[in-house]
Amino acid sequence: MRTWTPADMPDLSGKTAIVTGANSGIGLPTALELARHGARVVVATRSAAKGGAAVEEIRRAVPGAQVEHGTLDLADLASVRSFAVGVDRVDLLVNNAGIGMIPRQLTRDGFEMQFGTNHLGHFALTGLLLPLLLARPGARVVNVSSDAHKMGRLDLDDLGLERGYKKMSSYGRSKLANLLFTLELQRRAQRAQVDLVSAATHPGATATNFFSVGPLQPLVGLFLKSAAAGAVSSLYAATSPEIHGGEFVGPKTQLLTPSEAARSEQLAADLWEVSTRLTGVRFEEIAYS
């Protein structure tokens, strides 16, 4: 069977896509290919300078591309709300931005940084944009997770990891939260009978900023694939007619099976409740009655 490539993407003219963290890593080629196929693309980044540079790079690669920058700091809920207020429409939301393997830090709102940025920031953004997504036929939300979710353990009574912090397990916890959120969002959309698809991806070991420093740096370019190759799973999840919701798409567009913890409906419901309380974002359109 022939391997799916971005050349197989449909015409996206008339659609608006938002890609978080689209100034580097797999986010940039994700945004570029969406623009190449006709979508209006919002490059959502914390740095206006880096976001602007990404916009210009996309325009050079795709003359006439409809691409713009929006300032978004996922580690600051006020920034998330400010960004969301400025959005007029959205068909595809690719929650791509992420940080990993950092010393313990806190977000502006006091959350552990990896969990707060990778999960809570995207949870809030998705909820704030939900009315706009539901107004667009065939809207999709794609959350970039990781196979690292399998090493994550989610203790809802210790979200600050004050009982012990390890860089990698904290990252895995945030990726587990991404998957729990993805699957719960799909369940709620189906129960509410709304036109929304929620899927997650694992891009595989990719030469991104995660590996630009530290002991794994020599592996970059040797054993890690390019960012463009890493973006394929996101592009497939965002555009393929084969995606119907609840899938976990792997590096070669194969469907992966999430861990037992990621498939737990009770844990997902509990995480949703905690995330709602921490962010103040309620997803009223698909709330359980």
Side-chain angles (χ1 to χ4, degrees):
M1 185 175 179
R2 189 177 68 84
T3 301
W4 188 94
T5 74
D8 297 308
M9 291 168 59
D11 179 19
L12 301 175
S13 298
K15 295 185 180 294
T16 295
I18 296 174
V19 184
T20 67
N23 61 288
S24 64
I26 67 173
L28 180 55
T30 298
L32 189 152
E33 289 297 336
L34 291 171
R36 192 191 305 278
H37 287 79
R40 170 193 171 216
V41 178
V42 179
V43 172
T45 69
R46 181 176 53 187
S47 166
K50 292 180 180 179
V55 167
E56 291 307 312
E57 182 172 343
I58 293 170
R59 286 176 177 163
R60 286 193 297 270
V62 186
Q66 301 178 73
V67 58
E68 60 199 73
H69 174 256
T71 300
L72 171 66
D73 183 352
L74 290 159
D76 180 354
L77 291 178
S79 174
V80 175
R81 291 183 180 276
S82 178
F83 173 84
V85 167
V87 176
D88 57 356
R89 67 182 186 274
V90 57
D91 300 85
L92 305 173
L93 174 60
V94 183
N95 289 323
N96 163 83
I99 57 174
M101 285 73 84
I102 61 172
R104 186 176 184 275
Q105 302 174 37
L106 300 181
T107 70
R108 184 174 294 273
D109 303 282
F111 309 130
E112 187 274 313
M113 183 65 78
Q114 295 193 75
F115 181 78
T117 301
N118 298 353
H119 168 62
L120 290 176
H122 282 128
F123 177 90
L125 178 64
T126 305
L128 292 168
L129 296 180
L130 185 61
L132 293 176
L133 286 162
L134 296 183
R136 305 293 288 179
R140 295 192 186 189
V141 175
V142 176
N143 293 309
V144 177
S145 181
S146 169
D147 199 45
H149 81 277
K150 294 177 180 178
M151 67 182 69
R153 298 291 180 270
L154 191 57
D155 181 353
L156 297 177
D157 293 323
D158 186 27
L159 290 179
L161 295 180
E162 296 173 357
R163 301 171 189 168
Y165 179 87
K166 294 182 180 179
K167 297 176 183 179
M168 191 62 198
S169 60
S170 172
Y171 175 71
R173 180 182 74 153
S174 73
K175 297 291 101 179
L176 172 59
N178 289 154
L179 266 170
L180 287 163
F181 171 46
T182 298
L183 298 178
E184 181 66 7
L185 178 60
Q186 184 62 37
R187 283 190 286 266
R188 287 174 178 254
Q190 289 176 335
R191 181 167 174 173
Q193 297 183 324
V194 297
D195 187 8
L196 181 71
V197 165
S198 172
T201 69
H202 163 49
T206 305
T208 67
N209 291 341
F210 275 12
F211 301 103
S212 62
V213 296
L216 295 181
Q217 194 277 334
L219 300 180
V220 176
L222 294 177
F223 302 105
L224 304 180
K225 61 186 175 183
S226 69
V232 168
S233 57
S234 293
L235 293 166
Y236 182 80
T239 67
S240 171
E242 299 300 316
I243 296 297
H244 304 290
E247 292 91 348
F248 183 31
V249 181
K252 296 182 180 179
T253 70
Q254 77 274 35
L255 299 186
L256 306 176
T257 300
S259 68
E260 182 178 355
R263 301 195 307 272
S264 170
E265 295 189 22
Q266 185 60 60
L267 184 58
D270 291 343
L271 175 62
W272 189 284
E273 181 180 351
V274 169
S275 301
T276 297
R277 175 171 53 81
L278 293 176
T279 65
V281 178
R282 305 194 60 80
F283 290 75
E284 294 179 355
E285 296 80 3
I286 56 172
Y288 288 159
S289 57

